[in-house]
Amino acid sequence: MTTTNHGSGHNQPSQSLPEDRRLELSRTSEERHRPVTARVYVSPITSRAALRWVNAEGHDSPTLWEPVRLDGTHAHALRDEVLNLAGAVLAKRGFNYARGAYWQPASGEPDAARPATSEVAVVPTRAYLDLQDRRFGPVPELPEVPGVTFKTTQRGQWWATVPDGRTFLLTWTPHLDGDRWTVWGGDQHSDLIRPATTSIDKALFVLRHPSHARP
């Protein structure tokens, strides 16, 4: 595989330093805002519920962690059905209950039997921590594709020039349930050629066989 401008930092330290610094700041922000507590609030007026995220400083984290609405109507924040919904959200986002933690009325709740807000301490799962390593660490190495030249456009994006001279945009985005590879084509690289897939081999198929590249 012929590769240009990978931006690894070994040959272009002056260009890699800004990205390294940006990634460092982004990772610091993620760690600062990372939830340590999940709270469920049930409106006494509408009976609708939402899960909120609280960081180690005791603040909501709306910038990185928007509240999540929970389906249904609920009598209060310690009902099993609303807590089961909240637990499913936590699992989907890569969190689990801290060891020995359980849902309980939030501090200051006047009615412990029927609180409007309940809370529980949470911790990130191994899968969540691995995701952060991929988000802020090195991008994946691309395999050899005979006849294809890759050029980095920005982090997680490569221009791929195939033997017939056409170019495609290959993108990589990390996700908790499997990183996504997507191929775009067309004059502005806005035509979806290969929908998002967790298999890089499937994404590269159209580059190995450009005659199959159709939007």
Side-chain angles (χ1 to χ4, degrees), residues 52-94:
R52 293 161 46 211
W53 312 92
V54 181
N55 63 24
E57 297 174 347
H59 302 143
D60 285 347
S61 302
T63 303
L64 302 178
W65 296 86
E66 293 288 345
V68 180
R69 294 184 182 276
L70 305 176
D71 293 337
T73 57
H74 308 280
H76 58 79
L78 281 181
R79 292 290 291 268
D80 287 342
E81 65 269 20
V82 71
L83 298 183
N84 288 339
L85 291 170
V89 171
L90 292 176
K92 185 177 182 180
R93 298 294 181 92

Side-chain angles (χ1 to χ4, degrees), residues 7 15 22 35-36 40 53 64 78-79 81 103 115 122-123 127 142 146 158 163 173 180-181 195:
Q15 294 186 20
R22 177 179 60 81
V36 298
V40 168
W53 312 92
L64 302 178
L78 281 181
R79 292 290 291 268
E81 65 269 20
W103 289 99
V122 297
V123 293
L142 299 181
W158 301 263
T173 52
R180 307 294 198 271
W181 295 89

Side-chain angles (χ1 to χ4, degrees), residues 18 100 113 122 141 166:
V122 297
E141 289 288 335
R166 283 184 294 170

Side-chain angles (χ1 to χ4, degrees), residues 2 4 20 26 47 60 90 93-94 100-101 116 135 141 146 163 192-193:
T2 302
T4 58
D20 290 346
S26 296
S47 299
D60 285 347
L90 292 176
R93 298 294 181 92
R135 287 181 63 200
E141 289 288 335
L192 183 60
I193 303 297

Side-chain angles (χ1 to χ4, degrees), residues 113-127:
R114 298 173 58 86
T117 304
S118 61
E119 62 184 13
V120 66
V122 297
V123 293
T125 62
R126 181 70 259 171

Side-chain angles (χ1 to χ4, degrees), residues 150-174:
F150 291 96
K151 180 180 180 180
T152 300
T153 63
Q154 62 184 54
R155 179 177 172 81
Q157 295 188 9
W158 301 263
W159 278 330
T161 304
V162 299
D164 65 10
R166 283 184 294 170
T167 62
F168 299 87
L169 182 66
L170 174 67
T171 66
W172 163 78
T173 52

